[in-house]
Amino acid sequence: EALTDLARSGRGAVIAFFHMGLKGGLVTRALKEQVYREVTSLPGIRNAASAREALIRRAELVQQTGAVLARGGAVLVAGDGLHGTDGVVYPFHGRRVTFYRGGAHLAVTHHAALVPVLQEARCDGRVRVEFLPPLFPLSHGSETSRVDELLDRYVQVVTAHWPRILPAKGWNHLRRWWAASAPLEG
């Protein structure tokens, strides 16, 4: 209901998944049919021929997703992941995990809400997606401090819900994620 209210108000939403494993077209279609007229995602940049090309492609994607938010649409992002360069390392259930500022930055710069998402793959093959209450950026402080504060709140929500997130991940995805994180000790 909070997501529907957000859409009716015309305010954009950055919908942040913990990994992007189960996002797919199903969530995008459901959001378009039931909540938002315009939904897009901010994918990672892979297979760029050079660092310069990756930077250009990232800038174009950020501009496109910003335009969607400005029109009151929704942008799907990964709140953490194995890719990206603008990450903050947080302690996370005995590991060090990198969370990226991209979603929080989009929310702050476009006055959008950051909406954490839980997803769960069920044994019967169905996927359950739960949109948590929106997190709104602070209205005061520097852009950097507002982005970091919003990211901190997102990480707190994800950390609190971690046991419910785990079943949504495939074994290979978890193995790569676990290998990319580091133990807190040492």
Side-chain angles (χ1 to χ4, degrees), residues 6 26 41 55 59 62 67 85 99 103 122:
L6 196 60
L26 290 173
S41 63
L55 191 60
V62 169
T85 57
F99 287 82
R122 295 190 175 173

Side-chain angles (χ1 to χ4, degrees), residues 37-169:
R37 292 178 207 221
E38 192 171 8
V39 180
T40 190
S41 63
L42 182 61
I45 301 296
R46 295 186 188 139
N47 303 323
S50 67
R52 182 177 185 274
E53 180 188 341
L55 191 60
I56 291 168
R57 287 172 53 192
R58 172 60 74 190
E60 290 169 347
L61 285 170
V62 169
Q63 184 177 26
Q64 292 165 5
T65 55
V68 169
L69 290 172
R71 292 188 295 266
V75 175
L76 282 61
V77 302
D80 74 313
L82 306 178
H83 308 287
T85 57
D86 190 23
V88 179
V89 177
Y90 285 87
F92 187 82
H93 294 281
R95 306 291 288 176
R96 281 188 269 252
V97 174
T98 301
F99 287 82
Y100 294 102
R101 290 181 176 100
H105 188 261
L106 279 172
V108 167
T109 57
H110 296 285
H111 309 290
L114 181 64
V115 181
V117 177
L118 302 180
Q119 52 195 351
E120 176 185 354
R122 295 190 175 173
C123 293
D124 63 4
R126 294 184 313 165
V127 176
R128 181 177 177 275
V129 177
E130 180 182 350
F131 299 92
L132 297 176
L135 304 172
F136 296 96
L138 294 175
S139 58
H140 61 280
S142 70
E143 182 178 289
T144 301
S145 68
R146 293 184 304 141
V147 167
D148 288 346
E149 188 277 337
L150 187 57
L151 182 62
D152 288 346
R153 285 190 284 142
Y154 171 76
V155 171
Q156 289 172 13
V157 168
V158 170
T159 301
H161 287 88
W162 171 242
R164 292 177 55 203
I165 297 169
L166 189 60
K169 306 300 156 214

